Every structure is written in C-alpha cells, then in structure tokens.
Amino acid sequence: MSSFILVTKQQSKAWLGRLRQRFSPSRMLRRSDGLTLLQEGGVGQEWILARRFCAFTLLDATAIPFVRRKAYADITVQRWSPFADTRHHIDWVGAHAMVWAWSQSQILELGDGELVAPPRRVLPETLYRGTPHAGEAFLVTMDEGMEGRVWRDHVMIACQWWAAVPTLDEWNGFRRGAGLSASHAMPVVESLPMLRLPWTRQRVAGFTDLAGRHRKVLQCVAAGLVVALLATPLTASVKLAIKTVMLERVIEKEAVGVGDTLAAREAAERDVVAIDKLLKLRPPRRQLQLMSAVIAATPGGNWKLLEWRMPDSHSLEVVVQMANPDPTALVRGWEATKVFRNVTVDIGRAGNEVIIKADIASANSLHETAK
C-alpha cells in the first residue's frame, strides 16, 4: 500500500510539473546584450530584468491608511522615477515598499533598432538572488556587475548597482547614505545562484508559480488540483488554470492604463506651474493706462516728460521738466490715482527737472479696491 502511495505521489508531482510548464510563461533573462532563455514555458514570456536597468528606492507609508497605500505608491513612484516611460515593481514589507523602476522603451529595444513585444511580466534580478536579512550590508555578484544591499529588519533600505567591484570610498559612500558607519575594508563578495522563485515569494510553493502575484488564490488552486486528481475531471482543473492566466492579463492591461493616466496628470501639473510663472512676468498695468495716470496725477499743465523707464514690470521711473516743482504735491497726486504706490520725488541737477519713482499697483490689489 505504501509503495502504491509513493508511486501515486511521484506521478502526481510529474503531472503537476508538466501542467505548470504548459501554462506558465517562458522565463527569459534580459541582459545588456539581449535575451537569454532560462526556462521553457507554454504561455507568453516572463522577463527577469538585469539589475543594471533598474533604479531602486524605498517608500515609507507608515502614515498612509492601508487602503490608500497602493495609490500613494503609484503616484510617488511616477514623481520619483528618473525615466520618462516608467514601469515598476513594488514589494511590500509591512508599511514599507521596496520599489524597482525601469524604462519600458529601453528594455524593449534589443539593439540595432530591433524592438520586441512587451512580456507578460517583468521582475528585477535582485528578487532572484539571495534572501532577506535582519541587518547589515552585503555586496552581491549579479549577472552583470555588482549590487550593494543594506538590510534592516528584513527590509532592504538601500540598494546600488556598480558595473565592477566598487572602491572602498564608493562602498563607504553607499554605507553612509544608508545610515551606516564607514568600513575599514571591503566586504566579501557573495556569489548567489539564480532562484526559481523571487525571495519575496519563497513561502509560496508548487503550482502558485503560475501567477505568483495572486498567492492566496493560487494556494487554494494548488490544493484543489490535488483533490481534482481523485474527485473531479481533469478538464475542470485545466479550465481553472486558463481563467487564472486570462485574469492576470486583464489586470496587467489595466495597470498599464493607470500608469498612462498618472503620467498625463503629472504633465498637466507641470504645465500649470509653467503657465503661472509666465503670467507673473506680465506687467500689472498697460502702458497706455500708466501714461494716462501720469498725466492725470501730475499737477499743472506746463510740464514736459523727458524720460520714461520701467526697471522691471512692477515699477516706473520718469523724468519731468517743470517750473517750481512741488515734491509734496507730486507725491499726493500720484498716490491719489491708486495706480501708484511708494512714490518718491527727487529734484534733478537742473533744478527744474524732477525724478519720480513709484511702484505699480495691480488692478485687483486691495489698494485699488479701497478706491
């Protein structure tokens, strides 16, 4: 009886392996020189993106309500990302989000102008090398180059890529940026193999590799498949797997639409800021309005305008020639128009020349409203 059970388990394991391969995507490593096949599959492609293509940051959402953290992370990543066409992957550890971002157009161009279709999913290489630690800094060999990591309470708080082994100064700069003290020697470089599953999903096993992002759902599916060997037709299990794949494609398509909407919103906000800056350069009054106000504000009719200057859009300087100028009357007359403020009058060298300086009041200012 025990030998029969052992054979049944082995057959079930082999059958599940073939089914997983048939309904799982082919796994490819996206390197700087193109794509390398890691595992053959039957439904689309899944890329492991070389670390050199990615930028990393850590988001702290402790003050954000749980239901709003995903939206907060999506908006924050779009603002932080150094790429114009950002795609990203986020893994949460409590209220902290580890974020990897990359340029969609850069990874889809393989070289010599050759473009490929987007894969079903892209995950950073970092997730497939090593495991989380409680603390300290590590230097890890990647497929291309080196990666420095700093862990704190099983959260990667800092991550940096170098094309070659960094110098001690570069390594200490990385440590200080993560809040660690400088080291007197370089750490031992760790050479880690490529994992079958990301280290963020090591607790998810078996058939859940079909769609790792839906771990809880697919854990139930994996248990259901074992029961299905004895209690349900094989076709029902296959249909369930196909529906799961279709649902994942719909989710990824919707995620792309949300990213485009966020990018459009960011562009609109930048345009509003630029428009506001240009509007501030516009003078508060038109030249003809200022000229009319000067004529009305200057007492007497026997005077001549010699110079007209605007040092900036909000101030006016004029030089007027008149007999027996009265500075007090000029100040009162100009400020009575409510068009000018902070009026000053200086007598020129010729005695009959007056230099008048004033600030131009905005048409909608409180000073104008008081009129």
Side-chain angles (χ1 to χ4, degrees):
M1 183 66 178
S2 60
S3 61
F4 172 75
I5 294 176
L6 180 61
V7 171
T8 302
K9 287 183 177 180
Q10 292 176 347
Q11 292 176 344
S12 300
K13 185 176 181 180
W15 179 82
L16 286 173
R18 291 192 298 270
L19 187 63
R20 181 173 58 247
Q21 180 178 3
R22 180 176 180 182
F23 291 99
S24 297
S26 296
R27 179 171 295 175
M28 315 289 289
L29 176 62
R30 175 62 169 98
R31 308 178 74 252
S32 61
D33 56 356
L35 293 169
T36 300
L37 178 64
L38 299 180
Q39 179 180 332
E40 187 71 35
V43 182
Q45 292 184 358
E46 177 183 83
W47 287 7
I48 298 177
L49 188 60
R51 180 60 177 84
R52 66 179 300 143
F53 291 102
C54 301
F56 175 85
T57 190
L58 179 71
L59 302 181
D60 185 354
T62 304
I64 308 300
F66 179 80
V67 295
R68 298 181 181 177
R69 285 178 182 173
K70 183 180 184 303
Y72 160 78
D74 289 339
I75 294 175
T76 304
V77 169
Q78 292 296 328
R79 293 178 176 176
W80 156 79
S81 172
F83 307 110
D85 53 343
T86 299
R87 296 294 184 270
H88 66 273
H89 173 78
I90 299 178
D91 265 304
W92 290 90
V93 180
H96 294 85
M98 297 179 291
V99 181
W100 291 264
W102 56 86
S103 168
Q104 179 78 341
S105 59
Q106 183 182 10
I107 68 170
L108 295 182
E109 185 176 352
L110 300 183
D112 298 329
E114 180 185 357
L115 297 176
V116 295
R120 290 178 51 193
R121 186 187 309 159
V122 179
L123 292 174
E125 181 187 3
T126 302
L127 298 180
Y128 288 87
R129 296 191 186 275
T131 55
H133 291 265
E136 257 310 317
F138 300 88
L139 187 60
V140 180
T141 300
M142 307 302 283
D143 181 73
E144 296 176 296
M146 302 285 171
E147 181 180 69
R149 304 175 182 177
V150 176
W151 295 92
R152 185 175 299 158
D153 297 330
H154 298 90
V155 178
M156 191 163 62
I157 64 172
C159 180
Q160 183 172 339
W161 180 84
W162 293 278
V165 177
T167 64
L168 182 58
D169 288 341
E170 292 174 334
W171 176 249
N172 283 330
F174 169 66
R175 287 176 59 92
R176 286 192 294 269
L180 300 179
S181 60
S183 175
H184 298 291
M186 290 293 295
V188 176
V189 179
E190 298 187 17
S191 181
L192 304 175
M194 184 79 74
L195 301 174
R196 189 177 68 87
L197 291 174
W199 44 256
T200 54
R201 301 173 189 166
Q202 287 301 304
R203 295 181 180 178
V204 184
F207 189 58
T208 55
D209 191 28
L210 177 62
R213 288 187 299 179
H214 310 290
R215 291 178 286 182
K216 293 183 179 180
V217 174
L218 291 180
Q219 280 176 336
C220 297
V221 173
L225 285 175
V226 176
V227 176
L229 292 175
L230 302 175
T232 60
L234 176 62
T235 54
S237 299
V238 174
K239 287 181 179 179
L240 181 59
I242 294 175
K243 288 182 179 179
T244 302
V245 173
M246 295 176 63
L247 177 60
E248 184 177 353
R249 290 182 176 178
V250 172
I251 292 174
E252 292 184 352
K253 182 178 180 181
E254 293 297 328
V256 172
V258 172
D260 294 340
T261 302
L262 291 174
R265 177 180 175 181
E266 290 294 324
E269 291 177 353
R270 291 193 297 268
D271 292 341
V272 169
V273 173
I275 291 172
D276 289 340
K277 289 182 179 179
L278 292 175
L279 289 177
K280 290 180 180 179
L281 299 176
R282 185 176 60 183
R285 305 273 184 165
R286 297 180 179 178
Q287 291 282 340
L288 291 178
Q289 185 179 6
L290 294 177
M291 183 66 72
S292 177
V294 168
I295 295 173
T298 306
N302 189 20
W303 56 272
K304 182 186 296 183
L305 179 63
L306 300 180
E307 293 186 26
W308 178 284
R309 295 189 296 270
M310 293 186 70
D312 53 60
S313 61
H314 290 77
S315 61
L316 175 66
E317 295 182 10
V318 298
V319 178
V320 178
Q321 185 182 66
M322 60 173 56
N324 301 319
D326 185 352
T328 302
L330 287 171
V331 171
R332 290 177 179 175
W334 277 53
E335 292 192 345
T337 63
K338 309 302 181 183
V339 176
F340 304 107
R341 293 180 294 185
N342 303 322
V343 180
T344 61
V345 177
D346 296 324
I347 303 299
R349 296 181 180 179
N352 62 344
E353 291 184 2
V354 179
I355 303 171
I356 306 174
K357 301 179 181 179
D359 295 334
I360 303 171
S362 299
N364 58 350
S365 66
L366 293 176
H367 189 78
E368 178 74 1
T369 304
K371 183 178 178 180

